[in-house]
Amino acid sequence: MKRVNAVAACLVMLAPALQAQNASRDSSAWSRVSVSVRYGVFTPSGNSEAYSLIDRALYSGAATLNPRIAGADVAVRLTPRWSARLGIESGERTMESVSRVSPATTTSPVAQQTALQLTSVQSLGVEWRAARWARAQGAGADRARLILGAGVGTARYRFQQWGTFVDAERLVAYRDNFYSTGRGLFEYVSAGVDVPVTRWVALQGTVRQQFGAAPMSDDYATFDRLDLGGTNVSVGVRFSPAELLGRR
C-alpha cells in the first residue's frame, strides 16, 4: 500500500512537468503552421476553341475574361527551408461584349455577356525558401524572403454566354443562353516574396503559372477541352497563429 501511495505521489509531482512538456510539443508543432489570405487576378492562357471563338466573334475579345480570385492557404514547415502547402480559392469575371458582325436588319450594336467562374479550386504543393535577406540588426530578423513553389490542383469551372448573338451565315440576330461546366486537373509553379512586418505577420506577393484543361459539356460539348492554364498574380498577408495567440 505504501508503494502504491509513493507511486501516486510521484505521479502527482510529475504531472505539471509532463503537462508542460506536452504543451511545449504542441506549441512547437503549432509554431510550424502559417496561414495566408490573398486576393489577385487570374489571366487565362486562352489556348482552346472557346477562347478562339470569343476572339473571332466578339469585341473586345477574351483578353478581358480574367477572373478576380480570393484564396487562402495553410502551410506547414517541414524543415527550416521546406514547407507543405494546401490552398483553396475561387473567383469569377463577367465580360460585356459586342458582336463583330451586325445583322442585316439593323446596324445597332448586338450586345451579350460572357462569364467565367472558377469555383472549388484546390491545390496541394511544396514551398522552398530559396533565399532570405536579413536586416542590418537583429539575429534571425528577415527583411524579405524569396519563396518558390510547385504542386498540383483541381478546379471546377462554369463558362456561360447569354444575350443577343448574330448568325454569321444568315446575318440574323437571336437571343440565347449557352453554358458549360466541368472539372479538371492542373499543375503549377510559383514564385513569391514575403516581407515580414512583425514576428507573426508578413506581407506577400506571388506569381503562379498553371497548366491544365477540363472537358466542356452541355452547349459546348463538341468543343475541345477548356484551357485552365494561365497566370495568377496575387497579394496577401501571411501570419502565424501560434505567434499571434502567444501575444494575447
Side-chain angles (χ1 to χ4, degrees), residues 156-213:
R156 180 181 295 277
Y157 79 88
R158 180 181 178 88
F159 180 82
Q160 185 175 8
Q161 292 184 290
W162 69 97
T164 304
F165 302 87
V166 178
D167 186 312
E169 295 183 357
R170 298 183 298 159
L171 297 183
V172 175
Y174 64 96
R175 293 188 62 82
D176 214 327
N177 187 348
F178 307 101
Y179 73 94
S180 171
T181 60
R183 178 184 289 274
L185 300 175
F186 64 87
E187 298 127 21
Y188 75 87
V189 292
S190 64
V193 175
D194 278 13
V195 180
V197 178
T198 68
R199 287 178 56 86
W200 58 273
V201 67
L203 303 179
Q204 61 178 184
T206 305
V207 178
R208 187 179 79 197
Q209 187 70 37
Q210 66 184 49
F211 314 88

Side-chain angles (χ1 to χ4, degrees), residues 36-38 73 193-195 202-206 234-238:
S36 302
V37 291
R38 52 190 167 77
D73 306 294
V193 175
D194 278 13
V195 180
L203 303 179
Q204 61 178 184
T206 305
S234 63
V235 295
V237 178
R238 185 197 296 260

Side-chain angles (χ1 to χ4, degrees), residues 4-248:
V4 173
N5 290 336
V7 172
C10 289
L11 291 175
V12 170
M13 295 176 64
L14 288 173
L18 292 173
Q19 291 176 354
Q21 184 178 10
N22 290 334
S24 177
R25 290 176 179 174
D26 292 342
S27 176
S28 177
W30 274 107
S31 68
R32 296 174 177 269
V33 178
S34 63
V35 179
S36 302
V37 291
R38 52 190 167 77
Y39 181 80
V41 58
F42 176 69
T43 304
S45 299
N47 298 320
S48 57
E49 191 177 355
Y51 291 108
S52 298
L53 176 63
I54 294 174
D55 287 331
R56 289 197 312 269
L58 308 177
Y59 288 114
S60 55
T64 57
L65 194 61
N66 44 3
R68 274 39 178 177
I69 300 291
D73 306 294
V74 176
V76 180
R77 192 172 70 253
L78 305 176
T79 72
R81 300 185 68 175
W82 287 92
S83 300
R85 173 193 162 279
L86 176 66
I88 185 169
E89 62 189 30
S90 64
E92 64 177 311
R93 182 65 181 272
T94 299
M95 174 188 76
E96 297 183 354
S97 56
V98 175
S99 294
R100 293 181 181 273
V101 179
S102 299
T105 55
T106 180
T107 57
S108 300
V110 177
Q112 58 288 130
Q113 293 180 303
T114 302
L116 175 62
Q117 297 176 327
L118 297 174
T119 61
S120 188
V121 181
Q122 302 167 3
S123 59
L124 177 64
V126 293
E127 293 180 335
W128 176 51
R129 194 193 69 196
R132 58 184 288 265
W133 295 270
R135 298 183 186 276
Q137 297 178 351
D142 291 343
R143 185 173 58 205
R145 309 182 189 110
L146 173 63
I147 309 295
L148 304 181
V152 296
T154 178
R156 180 181 295 277
Y157 79 88
R158 180 181 178 88
F159 180 82
Q160 185 175 8
Q161 292 184 290
W162 69 97
T164 304
F165 302 87
V166 178
D167 186 312
E169 295 183 357
R170 298 183 298 159
L171 297 183
V172 175
Y174 64 96
R175 293 188 62 82
D176 214 327
N177 187 348
F178 307 101
Y179 73 94
S180 171
T181 60
R183 178 184 289 274
L185 300 175
F186 64 87
E187 298 127 21
Y188 75 87
V189 292
S190 64
V193 175
D194 278 13
V195 180
V197 178
T198 68
R199 287 178 56 86
W200 58 273
V201 67
L203 303 179
Q204 61 178 184
T206 305
V207 178
R208 187 179 79 197
Q209 187 70 37
Q210 66 184 49
F211 314 88
M216 301 202 76
S217 63
D218 299 295
D219 298 308
Y220 298 87
T222 59
F223 283 54
D224 64 357
R225 294 168 66 85
L226 184 69
D227 187 7
L228 295 178
T231 304
N232 187 328
V233 179
S234 63
V235 295
V237 178
R238 185 197 296 260
F239 62 92
S240 169
E243 292 284 353
L244 177 60
L245 293 175
R247 292 172 59 87
R248 296 181 178 180

